[in-house]
Amino acid sequence: MGMEGIGARVARKEDKRFITGGGRYTDDMVLPGMKHAVFVRSPHAHADIKGIDVAEAKDMPGVVDVLTGRQLKADGVGNLICGWMIHSKDGSPMKMGAWSPLAVDRVRYVGDAVAIVVADTKGQARDAAEKVVVEYDEKDAVIVAAEALKPGAPQLHPEAENNLIFDWELGDAKATDEALAKAAHITKMHIVNNRLVPNAMEPRAALAHYDKAEDHTTCWTTSQNPHVARLVMSAFYNIAPENKLRVIAPDVGGGFGSKIFIYPEEVVCCWASKKTGVPVKWVADRTESFLTDAHGRDHVSEVQMAFDADNRIIGLKVDTIANFGAYMSLFSSSVPTYLYATLLSGQYAIPAIHANVRAVYTNTSPVDAYRGAGRPEATYLVERTMETAARELGVSPAELRRKNFVTQFPHQTPVIMCYDAGDYAASLDAAMQAADYAGFPARREEAKRRGKLRGIGMSNYIEACGIAPSAAVGSLGAGVGLWESAEVRVNAVGTIEVLTGSHSHGQGHETTFAQLVNQRFGVPIDSVSIVHGDTDKVQMGMGTYGSRSGAVGMSAIVKALDKVEAKAKKIAAHLMEADESDIVIENGELKVAGTDKSVPWFQLALAAYTAHNLPAGMEPGLKETAFYDPSNFTFPAGCYICEVEVDPDTGVTEIIQFVAADDFGNIINPMIVEGQVHGGIAQGIGQSMLEGAHYDAGSGQLITASYMDYCMPRADDLPSFQVSHQNTPCPGNPLGIKGCGEAGAIGSPPAVINAITDAIGNNDLLMPATPERVWAAIHVAKH
Amino acid sequence: MYAVNYHRASSVADAAKRGGGDAKYLSGGMTLLPAMKTRLAAPSDLVDLSRLEELRGVRISGRTVTIGAATTHYEVSTDAGLKSAFPLLCRFASLIGDPAVRYKGTIGGSIANNDPAADYPAALVALGATVVTDKREIAAEDFFTGLFETALDDGEIVTAVRFDIPEKAGWEKFRNPASRYAIVGVFVAKKGDGVRVAVTGAGDDGVFRSKEIEAALAKGLDQKALDGISVPSDGLMGDIHASPEYRANLIAVMAKRAVAQAAG
Amino acid sequence: MSDVVMTVNGRKVAASVEDRTLLVHFLRENLNLTGTHVGCDTSQCGACVVHVDGKAVKSCTMLAAQASGSTIVTIEGLAEGAELHPVQAAFREHHGLQCGFCTPGMIMAATDMIRRHPEGLDEKTVRHELEGNICRCTGYHNIVKAILAASKAMAAGGEAKAA
């Protein structure tokens, strides 16, 4: 490992600007003549729009224009789409209801956009927005997915009878039922995965500028994947052809999935800029983010896990209802299907699995991928059930898991996935040792003497990242390919620019990607620039989500570096009159192996561009492009252990220790990987103890629409984390990377709930396990 | 925020001239400004009291403490005189909001706003404090009249809070995990005339004295006197964070801990 | 409209602003100091923390008019020339930031916290004192580490200067 190469704990290059106030986020952008937009939003969860009167609003001071959905439709702006086709088990395609970027006849959730006001200042736009008169005819609303399926429930979309979007299955129903029939023991669970609001600290924003002279639109926006935004806005929303639309995602203040999707606001801002002739900026306030950012999770499942007399799992049957909210967000359909049911085998050898998933419309904010996306739901289900089974069977939770681990690779599960590499026992052992699992009974006794209830719980997660061969996901319904592209430009004096389709919004690509270049060419990372987030600079890309930037994005860079290296070696061989196969790259020089002949990197680059002395027929320059399409998913896995202490008088739970033992394959920068794990665990602890979107069932109002009611994890809610790695390299990509961005959020919730339920002696506990819920559960357990 | 006219008062008398009607007094602004930002409050004018030196500072004379209305939570929490005479109040103030809020938020602003989850109302009621205004003096118990309601007349200005240091006192707060305001806060104070127990965060009508706990402690600050005590949940608030029953439980638990602290 | 005059990062500035203008918007829009961020509407997230007359306050909960006459330091003015402030350096060294959005407020709050605790800090105190600053990326683990390290470094630096 070099000082700056793969495996080095290099401080981040990008930090310099962030710690000095020099970051450039969308809201920091200012254009001459720029105006400010405020959206008029529905205060009702479900209502017909009888009329919109904008006359008074248009006369307010500073107002440029007030635009409505009818005008948007008249201009041919398309409906928002879901880009992953799922077919129900009867073969019918999913039932996608129309989602106009500005509602025309009907609003379906509180926050649904109805009109846009453009004015000189944001204050004026807000003043005017209050003067837009919308006549609503209120209808009954339905919030809970299971309720929405019942006869007589309010109907959201004519396309989706009984609010059912699809009724999908995976696995072998017959084999699973047979396993249940012959089981020695069946553990049954009712599992609720609570709805979360992503809450990237930077609220979503868009700044659109239509240049009339060039008939060209530029949109700065808070996106994890600007190329996908351009593609979708061009192909489906009729904003502009791709060559007339530039999407720039500058510094982005966190995403966690919520900034993958193309939302109504950026579409409407682009259209409004063209309509008004002025640059239009919109920045969400926090309550707007709560209402309109795609939410996460919201599953309810019935589970049956069957064991034989030797405590081996012989079957798993799952019936899940997934709440999709009022509209199908861009990748919503993939989350409770191929990102969820395919992981239900966990780390275990299970011969028969069957999952049935019903996706349902309700009068709530749309739901889509949020850190982990489907995999946290699967992990929570499997790991809560395993822990419960161990309690029911009277065996050690660790040993029940160990007995059922997959130990031979590759391992084909009954639910599509083929695990390529892993060592689950290694993570389990490491975590148990780090947590001093053996010493827990003594600690529990000691706590008891202090009047505290102490508990310990574990979670052995597996997830799938680096999604995935384009042909495979295409056959499963994906509307896009899931490759990545990269371009490596060696400049004439040897500095290097790497253009990547991955997008960094906290992940540190500007550092880790440069470390890869350092590893390969020996040039200092300060002479390597990573260029991303601009469709005019980077040819194409699929963006950052699903922990794919290392496994897929960096693999594309490797391919481009391979091509650069091959050409550089040809030039070096020519310059030094050596055989190409004898050229090696060391310490920033190209050398003839076994001799003292060498050409410094910068000189080689200069030679490529002066082109005075190149091999016959060679094109000048040193710049290569590559596309990388993965050959399989990658499978990060690990073991998390949580130890808690509960105050029985108040129900307050304190996390005493949290141990993470992960297998991420090879690691580029351990410091950054640990940071990803810390953040993921915090979100997982948030889900399990603090966070939950709460709607008023009658009115459909989001009660948790600000930080006054939605509990964000604070520093004093969390402990410091003990993080370690037991890595098995991924055989499927050139760097052996599995991905680390989501593991923390995937693996931690069941560990926390297993620990709390262990402490209080009551297994019936909902997330978030708030003090009141824990107190009530203790109260029930006592009586 | 709606348009508003800002005035920086040059004196209490100047402020009084500008106050009243749709105008509001601005002190630390830690509650008023967020309410204005979300357009839940829409005063025509803001009269800024925060720079009036005559409203600032902690004065201790014998056992009597007088705190100027524009004294910040940070100033109370770090006041040298108070630290030696009545350290509990310093700790109390150091647990209001977060550090940035404590630099700006003031005792006068807190009580004039009378948020049902604010901390100071409990302290003042338990201490039997007197609220001093530019016109009169009002006993704390008469001052807090309901949710966000006080005995202040239109345009009347809180200038100071005065109380005698109790023999013993304790304060325990159970915070809303999201907002960090009190779900239940219990202030216990023992003076010559008995024990007073004031509860914030829980009551449907704001701060109140707990009859049950005061009765149990009538013979003195003894934690054991509260064993098995049950506080009725009638009249307690319920929301997504805490039901009335849970709040009732927390009142008993927090009271016990406050008594232990006071006795310790 | 209010005429406001203040010293920001050592420079005297004057402007006429709407009375309802918040300090954070004055800094961002009038002075183009966009390092100070807005992350919530309820004065809780702390992305907007700046120093007003030497104290860390939330610039989203203060009118520009209220700050008239004050001395303001923002994240852009914290470093002395090219040399990073010890808290900035510690955040980088200990990976106390990821997306960078909460970072300016965190650093301004941390600087104030360290100043208020010349006796030194422990993990529990740091976590408690970060109540008014929300980070969604780091799980706070490395932020806490960075603040503890900066506190130590500044104490050592202070001793070195005194000696």
Side-chain angles (χ1 to χ4, degrees):
Chain A
M1 182 209 313
M3 296 285 286
E4 296 186 331
I6 289 176
R9 302 178 77 89
V10 179
R12 299 199 319 171
K13 293 177 62 179
E14 46 270 79
D15 286 355
K16 183 76 195 296
R17 66 178 184 276
F18 293 131
I19 57 181
T20 54
R24 292 281 282 163
Y25 301 88
T26 299
D27 189 24
D28 302 339
M29 306 294 165
V30 175
L31 295 178
M34 183 179 85
K35 305 294 180 188
H36 299 266
V38 163
F39 283 85
V40 178
R41 297 188 181 279
S42 170
H44 305 298
H46 202 188
D48 284 328
I49 298 173
K50 293 299 184 188
I52 303 176
D53 184 350
V54 300
E56 192 185 351
K58 275 192 172 182
D59 284 343
M60 291 287 285
V63 172
V64 176
D65 209 343
V66 182
L67 303 169
T68 67
R70 286 203 186 283
Q71 291 165 286
L72 181 107
K73 291 279 114 179
D75 285 353
V77 175
N79 287 333
L80 305 190
I81 54 137
C82 175
W84 193 305
M85 172 54 71
I86 296 293
H87 287 85
S88 287
K89 55 194 178 193
D90 67 4
S92 64
M94 65 189 190
K95 310 294 191 295
M96 182 160 56
W99 185 5
S100 173
L102 290 174
V104 178
D105 299 317
R106 173 88 68 94
V107 288
R108 294 181 176 84
Y109 73 103
V110 174
D112 215 347
V114 172
I116 181 174
V117 179
V118 180
D120 289 342
T121 70
K122 193 168 180 183
Q124 288 172 329
R126 179 143 302 173
D127 293 342
E130 290 185 359
K131 301 294 181 189
V132 173
V133 182
V134 185
E135 193 190 333
Y136 291 105
D137 185 5
E138 264 192 89
K139 304 169 74 73
D140 287 340
V142 62
I143 303 305
V144 178
E147 298 294 321
L149 286 172
K150 288 181 180 164
Q155 299 291 301
L156 270 81
H157 294 277
E159 297 87 349
E161 199 182 337
N162 295 323
N163 300 313
L164 182 66
I165 297 167
F166 57 73
D167 183 354
W168 172 90
E169 68 177 344
L170 183 68
D172 188 334
K174 187 164 165 284
T176 307
D177 286 339
E178 283 167 10
L180 288 168
K182 68 178 182 197
H185 178 83
I186 297 176
T187 293
K188 295 181 182 176
M189 297 284 285
H190 173 74
I191 297 276
V192 180
N193 208 288
N194 47 322
R195 179 184 282 239
L196 303 175
V197 185
N199 272 302
M201 289 317 297
E202 180 206 20
R204 286 192 299 115
L207 166 58
H209 176 218
Y210 175 70
D211 180 337
K212 194 174 173 187
E214 300 287 341
D215 185 29
H216 182 279
T217 300
T218 303
C219 180
W220 288 260
T221 187
T222 49
S223 176
Q224 298 177 218
N225 41 343
H227 289 90
V228 176
R230 182 178 70 160
L231 169 71
V232 171
M233 287 205 279
S234 295
F236 299 100
Y237 307 157
N238 303 325
I239 292 302
E242 278 175 291
N243 62 324
K244 293 290 188 183
L245 177 61
R246 178 183 187 184
V247 178
I248 301 172
D251 284 330
V252 172
F256 315 111
S258 69
K259 292 171 180 169
I260 297 171
F261 325 116
I262 319 310
Y263 288 89
E265 290 83 6
E266 48 265 34
V267 175
V268 174
C269 282
C270 287
W271 168 70
S273 177
K274 190 170 183 176
K275 199 90 178 153
T276 58
V278 294
V280 174
K281 182 198 271 187
W282 166 79
V283 180
D285 57 34
R286 181 53 62 184
T287 288
E288 220 171 0
S289 301
F290 270 104
L291 292 173
T292 66
D293 289 5
H295 293 181
R297 321 282 192 256
D298 206 344
H299 284 195
V300 177
S301 302
E302 302 301 331
V303 185
Q304 294 183 76
M305 187 180 275
F307 292 85
D308 68 13
D310 190 32
N311 294 342
R312 289 186 192 279
I313 311 169
I314 55 172
L316 176 66
K317 194 175 175 72
V318 175
D319 184 10
T320 295
I321 300 177
N323 191 336
F324 271 39
Y327 301 101
M328 289 188 78
S329 177
L330 190 62
F331 291 115
S332 55
S333 57
S334 64
V335 176
T337 51
Y338 293 109
L339 295 175
Y340 163 69
T342 52
L343 274 306
L344 286 171
S345 197
Q347 297 186 353
Y348 313 110
I350 304 180
I353 298 176
H354 180 257
N356 196 97
V357 179
R358 284 170 288 170
V360 182
Y361 281 123
T362 63
N363 295 108
T364 61
S365 303
V367 178
D368 206 323
Y370 164 62
R371 201 171 197 169
R375 291 152 287 164
E377 294 91 324
T379 301
Y380 186 69
L381 184 152
V382 171
E383 289 303 298
R384 282 287 290 132
T385 306
M386 282 302 278
E387 193 85 10
T388 303
R391 289 173 192 170
E392 289 176 354
L393 294 166
V395 298
S396 146
E399 294 318 307
L400 183 66
R401 287 174 167 95
R402 194 188 299 276
K403 172 171 267 185
N404 286 284
F405 277 158
V406 170
T407 53
Q408 302 292 315
F409 297 90
H411 171 83
Q412 178 63 52
T413 73
V415 279
I416 297 178
M417 294 303 185
C418 183
Y419 300 166
D420 53 3
D423 185 347
Y424 308 141
S427 294
L428 175 64
D429 291 340
M432 288 174 73
Q433 192 170 359
D436 183 21
Y437 200 86
F440 174 73
R443 297 197 293 277
R444 171 176 262 173
E445 281 310 306
E446 187 277 330
K448 199 174 168 186
R449 288 195 289 276
R450 286 184 285 111
K452 295 287 172 68
L453 307 172
R454 197 145 169 145
I456 196 163
M458 65 170 57
S459 158
N460 295 58
Y461 76 91
I462 186 164
E463 58 144 333
C465 295
I467 175 172
S470 295
V473 295
S475 74
L476 300 177
V480 289
L482 290 172
W483 42 264
E484 194 46 88
S485 86
E487 181 176 321
V488 174
R489 293 181 188 164
V490 181
N491 296 319
V493 288
T495 60
I496 295 177
E497 283 154 320
V498 176
L499 288 73
T500 169
S502 299
H503 186 276
S504 185
H505 31 279
Q507 294 87 344
H509 296 171
E510 290 170 44
T511 305
T512 49
F513 290 9
Q515 286 182 258
L516 168 59
V517 177
N518 169 273
Q519 180 80 22
R520 291 291 298 267
F521 295 159
V523 293
I525 60 171
D526 277 343
S527 67
V528 181
S529 292
I530 308 302
V531 179
H532 68 99
D534 184 340
T535 60
D536 265 17
K537 291 182 180 167
V538 182
Q539 183 209 342
M540 191 52 182
M542 296 312 296
T544 288
Y545 42 83
S547 308
R548 69 193 301 274
S549 296
V552 187
M554 289 186 86
S555 295
I557 299 172
V558 168
K559 280 188 75 177
L561 290 169
D562 288 344
K563 293 184 190 178
V564 168
E565 181 178 321
K567 184 169 181 183
K569 281 182 171 171
K570 279 196 173 74
I571 298 170
H574 177 75
L575 292 175
M576 293 186 282
E577 296 173 340
D579 193 274
E580 197 186 318
S581 61
D582 290 335
I583 304 294
V584 292
I585 302 180
E586 273 175 26
N587 301 325
E589 291 186 327
L590 291 97
K591 295 180 176 167
V592 182
T595 74
D596 58 359
K597 283 204 265 184
S598 69
V599 184
W601 182 253
F602 74 88
Q603 209 171 314
L604 186 284
L606 195 61
Y609 285 92
T610 56
H612 295 162
N613 183 17
L614 291 178
M618 179 182 275
E619 288 180 14
L622 196 52
K623 179 191 96 136
E624 298 289 349
T625 299
F627 283 66
Y628 172 80
D629 199 25
S631 59
N632 189 3
F633 287 87
T634 67
F635 297 97
C639 176
Y640 290 179
I641 293 179
C642 177
E643 187 167 334
V644 300
E645 212 166 87
V646 176
D647 174 358
D649 294 337
T650 59
V652 168
T653 302
E654 185 190 352
I655 296 180
I656 303 295
Q657 63 165 343
F658 198 101
V659 171
D662 295 292
D663 175 359
F664 295 138
N666 291 334
I667 286 174
I668 306 297
N669 184 328
M671 180 188 80
I672 286 176
V673 168
E674 287 160 15
Q676 289 291 312
V677 175
H678 298 156
I681 294 172
Q683 280 170 328
I685 292 174
Q687 165 160 33
S688 48
M689 291 174 60
L690 307 166
E691 302 179 41
H694 189 98
Y695 283 92
D696 179 74
S699 66
Q701 296 294 328
L702 181 63
I703 308 289
T704 49
S706 80
Y707 294 149
M708 295 298 282
D709 288 304
Y710 188 90
C711 185
M712 288 288 278
R714 312 294 219 288
D716 61 356
D717 292 317
L718 303 169
S720 284
F721 310 113
Q722 300 173 60
V723 177
S724 70
H725 303 113
Q726 299 72 40
N727 293 324
T728 60
C730 174
N733 59 59
L735 292 169
I737 291 176
K738 294 188 180 180
C740 65
E742 297 161 289
I746 292 168
S748 51
V752 175
I753 299 298
N754 287 340
I756 301 176
T757 53
D758 178 53
I760 65 177
N762 183 348
N763 201 36
D764 188 11
L765 185 66
L766 287 172
M767 296 194 290
T770 59
E772 176 164 19
R773 280 181 173 160
V774 173
W775 173 78
I778 294 169
H779 205 66
V780 169
K782 268 188 188 165
H783 295 88
Chain B
M1 187 180 296
Y2 292 106
V4 68
N5 299 306
Y6 171 86
H7 315 276
R8 192 175 286 183
S10 58
S11 65
V12 172
D14 173 53
K17 262 185 262 164
R18 298 173 184 272
D22 291 332
K24 276 209 175 266
Y25 296 117
L26 176 66
S27 189
M30 294 295 99
T31 312
L32 179 55
L33 289 173
M36 290 175 68
K37 278 160 60 179
T38 49
R39 299 194 167 212
L40 296 170
S44 60
D45 296 75
L46 286 175
V47 182
D48 187 351
L49 309 175
S50 63
R51 295 200 184 217
L52 295 177
E53 281 308 316
E54 56 189 302
L55 296 183
R56 300 181 76 112
V58 178
R59 290 184 301 281
I60 305 175
S61 165
R63 297 291 291 168
T64 304
V65 177
T66 308
I67 302 175
T71 311
T72 65
H73 308 322
Y74 174 74
E75 287 161 349
V76 171
S77 72
T78 54
D79 186 81
L82 212 49
K83 265 193 173 165
S84 68
F86 189 21
L88 175 74
L89 201 72
C90 299
R91 195 178 78 85
F92 169 93
S94 77
L95 296 172
I96 301 172
D98 60 52
V101 167
R102 292 194 283 275
Y103 276 138
K104 295 292 293 173
T106 66
I107 185 170
S110 170
I111 64 170
N113 184 55
N114 192 19
D115 187 305
D119 294 354
Y120 264 122
L124 266 56
V125 168
L127 291 168
T130 301
V131 178
V132 184
T133 78
D134 60 335
K135 293 180 180 154
R136 56 185 167 143
E137 298 193 346
I138 310 168
E141 238 175 307
D142 301 329
F143 180 84
F144 302 108
T145 56
L147 297 185
F148 299 102
E149 297 284 337
T150 67
L152 287 171
D153 290 335
D154 189 35
E156 191 173 3
I157 300 170
V158 175
T159 57
V161 166
R162 193 178 67 231
F163 59 88
D164 287 344
I165 296 171
E167 292 160 31
K168 288 178 173 177
W171 164 246
E172 278 293 327
K173 174 163 73 165
F174 190 91
R175 295 177 308 172
N176 177 321
S179 73
R180 302 299 177 111
Y181 274 83
I183 278 181
V184 165
V186 178
F187 204 106
V188 176
K190 181 176 187 298
K191 286 187 178 174
D193 56 349
V195 174
R196 290 159 71 105
V197 178
V199 180
T200 192
D204 259 341
D205 291 323
V207 64
F208 68 94
R209 287 173 65 179
S210 171
K211 288 194 287 283
E212 295 76 16
I213 296 173
E214 287 188 1
L217 297 175
K219 288 184 187 155
L221 283 177
D222 179 6
Q223 206 189 337
K224 288 205 180 71
L226 297 180
D227 280 349
I229 193 160
S230 149
V231 175
S233 58
D234 309 343
L236 297 186
M237 285 195 284
D239 52 39
I240 60 166
H241 306 285
S243 64
E245 293 72 28
Y246 183 55
R247 277 188 163 89
N249 170 67
L250 288 176
I251 290 171
V253 175
M254 294 301 117
K256 242 184 249 181
R257 292 177 185 179
V259 167
Q261 196 187 97
Chain C
M1 301 293 279
S2 281
D3 292 324
V4 298
V5 182
M6 58 185 98
T7 303
V8 180
N9 297 337
R11 192 166 67 89
K12 195 148 192 178
V13 297
S16 183
V17 299
E18 265 196 298
D19 290 18
R20 63 172 159 175
T21 306
L22 295 168
L23 177 59
V24 64
H25 292 135
F26 178 70
L27 294 170
R28 288 179 55 83
E29 287 158 26
N30 290 59
L31 305 183
N32 199 30
L33 293 170
T34 55
T36 303
H37 298 146
V38 179
C40 76
D41 324 325
T42 47
S43 310
Q44 288 172 288
C45 81
C48 66
V49 169
V50 300
H51 294 174
V52 177
D53 296 326
K55 296 187 169 85
V57 305
K58 293 183 175 175
S59 63
C60 77
T61 314
M62 187 171 192
L63 300 173
Q66 277 177 287
S68 189
S70 291
T71 297
I72 317 283
V73 177
T74 71
I75 188 70
E76 290 92 343
L78 190 63
E80 280 184 38
E83 196 178 335
L84 293 175
H85 185 279
V87 177
Q88 292 172 314
F91 267 66
R92 178 159 193 258
E93 187 185 341
H94 296 280
H95 191 31
L97 63 149
Q98 291 181 25
C99 82
F101 195 78
C102 76
T103 309
M106 281 284 176
I107 289 175
M108 299 309 280
T111 308
D112 179 82
M113 185 197 305
I114 292 168
R115 188 186 57 73
R116 271 187 290 106
H117 290 276
E119 76 282 9
L121 285 161
D122 57 26
E123 176 172 346
K124 194 170 178 214
T125 307
V126 173
R127 288 184 179 276
H128 173 65
E129 294 244 347
L130 282 178
E131 181 171 357
N133 293 79
I134 300 177
C135 169
R136 192 55 150 171
C137 293
T138 63
Y140 304 99
H141 182 109
N142 286 339
I143 290 176
V144 173
K145 238 166 101 177
I147 295 173
L148 288 171
S151 166
K152 276 194 185 144
M154 287 168 75
E159 278 164 24
K161 266 184 198 168

